[in-house]
Amino acid sequence: MNKWIKPVGSVLIAGAMLVGGAGVSGIAGSSVAYADQASDRNIVSVVGKGEISVKPDIAYLSIGVDTQADTAQSAQKANAEKIQKINDVLKNTWKIEDKDIKSVSFYVQPNYTYNDKEGQKVKGYTAHHTLQVSYRDLSKVGKLLDDASTAGANNIDNITFSVENRDQYEEQVIQKAMANADLKAGSIAKAAKRQLGLVLSVSQGDVSSPVVFAEAKMASGAANDAASSTAVAPGEIKVSTQLSVQYELK
């Protein structure tokens, strides 16, 4: 019996030649599917994709302090005082728990100057300390950043919005991914003039929730003016998964 492999758009179908040489029409898409002999049954394999849009429920804030001084010790001391003040504001004013505040970077480094006459020379030191703060009331993120700036934060990076518990959305994206796999496999079977049979196997990739970044630009004087507090819009994020599914092909 002759074997044949025929490319169809981006879909490859391989298997025993059918009586009468039944043709296969083209199918557009990015997936690759195969039909082959396995335990006396032909199979077709597809990847189903599921995705939903959800509102984020947590923000990760990067709040830092950079302090310059003539000596490393004085830079570190001044920096520590500012970080302590910021910590006091976060815990006492904003009632943020210790578990939601952590240091993610700290260093003290020399600053250099250079000229042709004297070459490279140390001119003071910079102490850097950044906190990552987890915060869940997204409507108040801008005001929190303003208060942190007033307390001494001068290095506020991008805000990361995400979903804290992805499991609550997993069933929804799995159902969508399975429906997408059914559609793809059914289209391939129809194009090959075959019938789709039972599901033989299913494997899942990770459920992913790409984070959304928002820039927080601290305008001069904004933190002291309640009417011009920093505005931050969390938007939406997408939660997705993939299923690799094998079907019997009759």
Side-chain angles (χ1 to χ4, degrees):
M1 182 177 291
N2 294 325
K3 294 285 186 175
W4 56 268
I5 299 178
K6 182 176 181 180
V8 184
S10 61
V11 179
L12 295 177
I13 299 180
M17 180 177 291
L18 304 180
V19 176
V24 182
S25 60
I27 303 175
S30 59
S31 63
V32 178
Y34 302 93
D36 203 349
Q37 291 288 345
S39 302
D40 298 325
R41 294 178 298 184
N42 287 333
I43 64 171
V44 58
S45 301
V46 298
V47 174
K49 298 179 181 179
E51 182 178 271
I52 60 174
S53 296
V54 300
K55 291 183 178 180
D57 55 21
I58 191 167
Y60 300 103
L61 316 177
S62 178
I63 299 174
V65 176
D66 290 330
T67 306
Q68 295 185 358
D70 292 337
T71 66
Q73 183 178 7
S74 57
Q76 182 174 346
K77 181 180 178 181
N79 192 275
E81 291 173 353
K82 293 178 182 178
I83 284 291
Q84 183 59 53
K85 187 176 180 180
I86 292 170
N87 263 308
D88 290 342
V89 168
L90 295 175
K91 294 177 182 179
N92 299 330
T93 303
W94 287 88
K95 309 302 180 184
I96 298 176
E97 299 180 15
D98 288 343
K99 67 181 180 64
D100 290 325
I101 304 173
K102 65 179 181 180
S103 295
V104 291
S105 67
F106 173 80
Y107 59 80
V108 179
Q109 65 181 22
N111 302 320
Y112 295 97
T113 61
Y114 179 85
N115 59 57
D116 293 337
K117 183 177 180 180
E118 298 179 331
Q120 181 174 278
K121 294 184 64 176
V122 174
K123 187 178 181 180
Y125 291 80
T126 296
H128 169 87
H129 193 160
T130 297
L131 303 174
Q132 179 179 284
V133 180
S134 302
Y135 192 65
R136 295 168 183 82
D137 188 348
L138 304 191
S139 65
K140 297 179 180 179
V141 168
K143 183 63 171 64
L144 188 158
L145 294 177
D146 290 339
D147 285 359
S149 179
T150 300
N154 58 9
N155 190 344
I156 297 178
D157 290 334
N158 292 339
I159 306 163
T160 305
F161 294 104
S162 190
V163 175
E164 191 168 19
N165 180 15
R166 297 182 303 178
D167 292 346
Q168 61 185 311
Y169 303 108
E170 187 164 6
E171 182 178 356
Q172 296 179 52
V173 294
I174 286 176
Q175 289 177 348
K176 281 182 169 288
M178 196 67 198
N180 182 244
D182 288 344
L183 179 63
K184 289 180 178 179
S187 298
I188 293 168
K190 182 178 179 181
K193 294 182 171 44
R194 307 286 289 275
Q195 291 184 340
L196 204 61
L198 298 174
V199 172
L200 301 178
S201 68
V202 182
S203 61
Q204 182 190 17
D206 291 336
V207 177
S208 64
S209 53
V211 294
V212 177
F213 298 94
E215 290 188 358
K217 300 297 185 183
M218 306 304 292
S220 177
N224 298 318
D225 184 356
S228 59
S229 61
T230 302
V232 179
E236 290 187 335
I237 62 176
K238 296 185 184 299
V239 180
S240 63
T241 193
Q242 292 190 163
L243 298 177
S244 298
V245 187
Q246 285 190 338
Y247 300 80
E248 180 184 8
L249 192 62
K250 298 179 180 179

